[in-house]
Amino acid sequence: MTKKIITRFAPSPTGFLHIGGARTALFNWVYAKKMGGEMLLRIEDTDRARSTQAAHQAIIDGLNWLGIECDGEPVSQFSRADRHAEISHAMVQTGHAYKCYCSPEELTQMRETARAEGRPPRYDGRWRDADPSTAPMGIDPVIRIKVPSDKEIIVHDHVQGDVTFKTQNLDDFIILRSDGTPTYMLAVVVDDHDMDVTHIIRGDDHLTNTARQIVIFNAMGWPVPDMAHVPLIHGADGAKLSKRHGALGVDAYRKMGYLPAALINYLARLGWSHGDDEFFTIEQMVEWFDLDGLNKGASRFDFVKLANLNGQHIREAEPAYLYKTMLALAKELDEQNDVAGLEGHKETILKALPDLQPRAKTVLELLSLAQFIYAQIPLEIEEKAQKHLTDDTRIIISQVISKLETLEDWQPDAINALIRQFSEDIDLKLGKVAQPLRVALTGRTVSPGVFEVMGLLGKNESLARLKNQIE
Ligand code: GLU
């Protein structure tokens, strides 16, 4: 029987779920799904000063919104501190680790000497082979791992290939602090082992940590999980991702009107490719995903590409889903007018959506495009639309009103035929008639086709809006 694939997402709860973290979670989740395995969630909350419950919740909410479901209950790394300590003591017993009694002053001195001699500032191993009976009284030691001398640690990485680290460049790092708390390096390894993690997919900023973690796996005789270190996301200008570049929490993307499917699609493309496919669903990604398709080169975050993909996902989405998303966003942003309008005109909005979808790149744009449906008379006319309402165009509007009043069959096709005929009769291009009508009916210069707009609004409301503009 082949071993069950287990991946994990291991965020530190010190802020929101940022897009880099979301992408890491996505790759772990997709790989587990593809392989019929599980993705576990481990909250790396050992930094008590910086870890908050709010950040923990933001990570869970962010994952939920993206539709990334973790298997089982989240594991708190902090709650496992006793187990981490136990392993460090076991390593002392087996001779793979040792107690070090150096004082802070000694360590400072060590660093300064190394620097003065032009060597990298490393721990010099003075307690590595010391006789424990020489231990000073009244000092709580740290525990350091005995990194094997003059060996090579090779990280076999699915993205980076084989990366070799010489052990003489890794000093005997601390695994348990003098207050008995584990270091990150130890906690990660013990947790990954105890959680039966088979594959670690994370940012390539962790690559050098991996060499140290392999020393711990080896000391314990534990199998080293498969590794895939994914290049970090950079800004559009190639610099480290900052807020200005889009290094925001996924909730910020929700509030900007991105669909989770689009954000997932975009994040996936930033680090993984499947031929030339740009647009895909998460189901397709699960079908196509392969660790070897992860890109080695750094990627650049590009808002324009994200918006274009979002537009495509909006076009493909079901109106009922979009309606729900629009309403949730209006509520989240506390746009009372939109909430009332959406709730009061659900059927009309559902009918209008197929016309609105191709015109919007974000859910916010969709909301704005839908506003004409529940706009109240007198309509607010957007500034750039006002030039279409002049004495001359008001005359045209009033003539159209008399024609429309006689129309029995209030359907876009019939309205279309009537207005085309009218334009021909008065020898004006259709646009010259349609645009003032559009402005009078919607207050905007951009909307679905003016005949569709009238169909959606119905005869009474359409005529009332037109009349209001000539009064
Ligand atoms: N907690 C670490 C971070 O947020 C991740 C550790 C890991 O994936 O091993 O960067």
Side-chain angles (χ1 to χ4, degrees):
M1 203 181 93
T2 48
K3 204 165 172 208
K4 182 166 187 174
I5 301 295
I6 298 189
T7 63
R8 86 312 194 260
F9 176 47
S12 308
T14 54
F16 41 52
L17 174 63
H18 60 89
I19 50 161
R23 191 186 59 158
T24 300
L26 172 68
F27 288 149
N28 279 286
W29 182 82
V30 169
Y31 187 62
K33 275 271 156 290
K34 162 148 205 116
M35 304 304 288
E38 289 184 0
M39 180 182 89
L40 309 179
L41 176 63
R42 180 170 73 234
I43 304 288
E44 304 214 314
D45 50 358
T46 48
D47 183 344
R48 301 314 282 169
R50 293 176 64 224
S51 298
T52 67
Q53 187 51 37
H56 181 142
Q57 197 52 48
I59 290 166
I60 306 271
D61 293 346
L63 292 174
N64 283 343
W65 179 67
L66 288 169
I68 298 178
E69 258 173 59
C70 307
D71 294 287
E73 285 302 306
V75 172
S76 151
Q77 187 159 65
F78 175 70
S79 74
R80 294 178 37 80
D82 290 348
R83 168 74 175 152
H84 304 143
E86 175 196 324
I87 294 297
S88 68
H89 292 296
M91 280 198 274
V92 174
Q93 291 300 314
T94 57
H96 287 100
Y98 60 91
K99 293 182 178 169
C100 162
Y101 295 86
C102 282
S103 63
E105 294 73 33
E106 273 179 283
L107 292 171
T108 309
Q109 181 65 48
M110 211 181 287
R111 272 195 294 274
E112 275 166 11
T113 315
R115 213 170 279 132
E117 292 170 4
R119 291 182 286 113
R122 284 202 196 94
Y123 176 71
D124 65 6
R126 66 180 63 172
W127 283 94
R128 185 173 165 116
D129 299 310
D131 179 352
S133 68
T134 61
M137 299 289 282
I139 291 188
D140 291 325
V142 298
I143 295 182
R144 290 181 182 271
I145 185 125
K146 221 179 245 185
V147 177
S149 338
D150 296 326
K151 287 244 159 45
E152 284 187 340
I153 301 284
I154 304 174
V155 182
H156 302 290
D157 194 272
H158 282 277
V159 182
Q160 313 287 335
D162 282 357
V163 187
T164 304
F165 293 86
K166 290 189 176 357
T167 54
Q168 65 259 36
N169 295 327
L170 314 172
D171 57 3
D172 287 352
F173 56 92
I174 298 175
I175 54 176
L176 197 76
R177 298 189 191 91
S178 58
D179 63 2
T181 59
T183 58
Y184 162 72
M185 220 55 84
L186 175 70
V188 167
V189 173
V190 176
D191 291 349
D192 282 335
H193 172 74
D194 288 357
M195 292 162 77
D196 291 322
V197 169
T198 60
H199 288 72
I200 295 178
I201 307 169
R202 61 186 170 195
D204 67 2
D205 50 334
H206 284 286
L207 195 57
T208 44
N209 288 339
T210 302
R212 293 192 168 85
Q213 289 165 16
I214 289 177
V215 173
I216 304 178
F217 278 110
N218 290 345
M220 290 305 296
W222 290 340
V224 179
D226 271 42
M227 300 281 175
H229 286 89
V230 186
L232 299 184
I233 303 172
H234 290 259
D237 55 5
K240 190 172 176 287
L241 201 66
S242 67
K243 274 214 173 116
R244 175 173 60 85
H245 294 116
L248 307 166
V250 295
D251 60 315
Y253 287 88
R254 182 180 65 234
K255 289 181 199 151
M256 287 187 272
Y258 292 98
L259 295 181
L263 192 58
I264 281 194
N265 185 168
Y266 184 64
L267 289 178
R269 284 289 292 118
L270 272 182
W272 173 77
S273 46
H274 179 262
D276 291 331
D277 292 302
E278 288 287 344
F279 175 92
F280 44 81
T281 61
I282 191 145
E283 291 79 18
Q284 284 170 316
M285 189 183 173
V286 169
E287 193 183 320
W288 298 336
F289 190 76
D290 181 2
L291 289 180
D292 297 325
L294 289 169
N295 304 333
K296 198 172 171 179
S299 46
R300 293 182 181 203
F301 192 87
D302 183 338
F303 267 110
V304 176
K305 282 194 182 159
L306 171 60
N308 285 335
L309 260 183
N310 202 50
Q312 284 189 54
H313 280 271
I314 286 179
R315 267 200 293 287
E316 298 290 324
E318 289 296 329
Y321 167 74
L322 288 174
Y323 173 81
K324 227 174 64 194
T325 309
M326 289 159 76
L327 185 57
L329 187 58
K331 284 183 177 164
E332 180 171 9
L333 300 177
D334 202 21
E335 295 290 352
Q336 307 282 357
N337 189 38
D338 290 323
V339 173
L342 286 162
E343 285 179 337
H345 296 76
K346 181 169 177 183
E347 291 313 314
T348 312
I349 290 166
L350 285 173
K351 227 165 96 191
L353 269 165
D355 270 326
L356 306 180
Q357 284 168 243
R359 296 166 212 269
K361 287 199 167 142
T362 67
V363 180
L364 286 179
E365 287 178 13
L366 212 48
L367 270 173
S368 156
L369 281 168
Q371 277 163 351
F372 80 88
I373 294 169
Y374 47 83
Q376 304 277 343
I377 299 172
L379 256 59
E380 222 176 279
I381 307 294
E382 95 189 328
E383 204 180 311
K384 66 173 186 240
Q386 283 167 4
K387 64 171 187 280
H388 296 284
L389 294 177
T390 61
D391 289 346
D392 288 346
T393 61
R394 286 199 167 89
I395 293 173
I396 296 175
I397 293 172
S398 73
Q399 290 171 335
V400 172
I401 292 172
S402 343
K403 298 272 171 200
L404 287 172
E405 276 177 331
T406 64
L407 186 68
E408 304 261 311
D409 176 27
W410 194 264
Q411 296 296 332
D413 285 348
I415 301 168
N416 184 345
L418 182 146
I419 291 179
R420 272 178 200 281
Q421 186 59 52
F422 170 78
S423 314
E424 260 174 48
D425 291 349
I426 62 165
D427 206 18
L428 266 185
K429 282 209 175 106
L430 181 63
K432 294 273 181 214
V433 178
Q435 197 62 353
L437 289 176
R438 179 197 309 280
V439 171
L441 288 161
T442 68
R444 310 279 179 94
T445 54
V446 181
S447 77
V450 70
F451 316 121
E452 279 73 28
V453 166
M454 285 197 247
L456 285 165
L457 292 175
K459 186 169 179 176
N460 287 344
E461 180 68 17
S462 300
L463 289 175
R465 289 188 187 189
L466 293 176
K467 283 180 185 162
N468 180 254
Q469 287 307 327
I470 57 168
E471 271 159 16

